[in-house]
């Protein structure tokens, strides 16, 4: 995977004016975008997905232009082959889990998946170990189960890139640690590169092949994890090294 982002966008609300100037490239299995709340992480992720439209710049994925303002190219979100999992998972409360996972492949005139789509849904439910929940509704699920459903729904269309917005923030600490490692297993299983945004140093320590640090709408540091802080062998030492690096980068 090769993702190249160079975008600028001005956002104005009653409370504040925010200028994003994000420029970075990544080519690893898992890239973690780190920064404090309001630093531009989510805006950047939504621009990659096609949910927001920058004022200038370009976004290229595997040499395919998703956005090129100079050439008047702005590929619609549904055609980008980029999956986006929101922080709150955004499951449809009126649909059961089978229908939620099959939604991206189900024509609007059908109330639920059938035929080949239902078979694909069954495979995704089995892969994420949630087949027993197919008749349940989102309100009946735990946080970890909702996350699995959201990931299954995102991956059923076999995207070229998976974007995750603070994927562990709603989970308790013990479940968060387990889900980080399962995320790496799922990435290897499906072979789809991931870009994760977070403000949690433990996400960087566990997940990142590459880390990009945002501050005040700009990228202030980036590189392979081993390049941007001292690589060490075990978990607690890695986390201390990550925290030192991130504290330094955040200025």
């Amino acid at each position: 995977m090769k993702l190249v982002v160079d975008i600028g966008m001005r956002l104005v609300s009653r409370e504040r004016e925010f200028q994003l100037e994000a420029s970075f490239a990544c080519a690893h299995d898992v890239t973690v975008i780190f920064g404090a709340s309001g630093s531009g992480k989510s805006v950047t992720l939504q621009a990659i997905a096609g949910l927001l439209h920058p004022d200038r710049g370009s976004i290229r994925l595997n040499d395919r232009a998703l956005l090129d303002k100079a050439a008047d190219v702005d590929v619609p979100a549904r055609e980008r082959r980029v999956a986006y999992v929101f922080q709150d998972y955004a499951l449809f409360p009126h649909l059961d889990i089978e229908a939620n996972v099959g939604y991206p492949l189900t024509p609007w005139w059908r109330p639920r998946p059938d035929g080949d789509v239902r078979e694909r849904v069954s495979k995704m439910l089995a892969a994420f170990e949630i087949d027993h929940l197919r008749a349940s509704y989102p309100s009946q699920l735990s946080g970890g189960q909702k996350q699995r459903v959201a990931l299954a729904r995102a991956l059923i269309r076999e995207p070229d890139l998976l974007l995750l917005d603070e994927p562990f923030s709603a989970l308790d600490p013990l479940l968060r640690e387990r889900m980080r490692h399962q995320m790496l297993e799922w990435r290897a299983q499906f072979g789809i590169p991931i870009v994760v945004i977070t403000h949690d140093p433990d996400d960087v320590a566990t997940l990142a092949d590459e880390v990009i640090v945002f501050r005040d709408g700009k990228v202030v540091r980036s590189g392979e994890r081993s390049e941007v802080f001292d690589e060490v062998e075990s978990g607690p030492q890695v986390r201390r090294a990550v925290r030192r690096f991130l504290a330094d980068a955040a200025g």
Side-chain angles (χ1 to χ4, degrees), residues 16 18-22 33-41 44 198 212-222 245-251:
R16 64 182 296 213
F18 181 77
Q19 183 68 42
L20 176 75
E21 292 292 337
I33 297 178
F34 179 89
S37 297
S39 61
K41 308 184 305 297
T44 301
T198 186
I212 297 166
V213 182
F214 270 65
R215 184 174 70 230
D216 298 330
K218 296 180 175 63
V219 175
V220 296
R221 195 165 179 183
S222 66
F245 155 66
L246 296 175
D248 177 66

Side-chain angles (χ1 to χ4, degrees), residues 158-179:
E158 301 178 350
D160 294 330
L161 178 65
L162 175 63
L163 306 177
L164 302 176
D165 187 346
E166 301 278 4
F168 311 112
S169 62
L171 306 179
D172 66 70
L174 290 178
L175 180 58
R176 202 176 300 166
E177 181 67 16
R178 181 161 64 88
M179 294 301 288

